[in-house]
Amino acid sequence: QVQLVESGGALVQPGRSLRLSCAASGFTEFTFSYYVMSWHRQPPEKERELVALIGTAEDATNYSDSVKGRFTISRDNSQNTVYLQMNNLKPEDTAVYSCRAVSPTSTIYWGQGTQVTVSS
């Protein structure tokens, strides 16, 4: 069973940066490099939304319009980890951030999430 553990969430002031990590383990059928990884967030009292996605090719990335130019998704296949570098954070970035893994057979795994709060 694939397990995803996020870390790096914190309370920060507007304009500051954070880097989230999602460590993956428990691979049996496919190795980490075969999974499409993504970060999602759920702001208070709102639905979860896609923030950024990275394909099996490390240069295949996609971002929501609200974070484009500020956030960067990356992966380290040797460490089974995906990162989300968040710069110039805004109060509207406040949310629980979760990572998701999708296997080549479309099986989906979610982490438990990490809280990011942007406030002065």
Side-chain angles (χ1 to χ4, degrees), residues 40-49 94-98:
H40 303 250
R41 68 184 181 188
Q42 185 166 18
E45 301 181 1
K46 293 185 179 180
E47 293 192 355
R48 186 163 57 191
E49 60 180 0
T94 295
V96 175
Y97 285 72
S98 302

Side-chain angles (χ1 to χ4, degrees), residues 15 17 22-23 28-29 34 47 51-52 57 59 65 78 81-83 87 106 110 113 118:
S17 298
C22 172
T28 54
E29 188 175 11
Y34 285 90
E47 293 192 355
V51 174
D59 59 349
D65 288 342
S78 68
T81 301
V82 62
Y83 303 98
N87 298 329
S106 300
W110 287 95
V118 184

Side-chain angles (χ1 to χ4, degrees), residues 73-91:
I73 189 171
S74 62
R75 64 191 299 161
D76 184 342
N77 290 336
S78 68
Q79 298 293 321
N80 291 353
T81 301
V82 62
Y83 303 98
L84 185 67
Q85 177 67 42
M86 305 186 295
N87 298 329
N88 188 23
L89 283 162
K90 304 176 180 181

Side-chain angles (χ1 to χ4, degrees), residues 9 16 18 28 31 50 56 69 73 75 82 92 97 100 113 118:
R16 304 300 289 265
L18 274 179
T28 54
T31 60
L50 172 67
T56 54
I73 189 171
R75 64 191 299 161
V82 62
E92 52 264 40
Y97 285 72
R100 185 184 77 168
V118 184

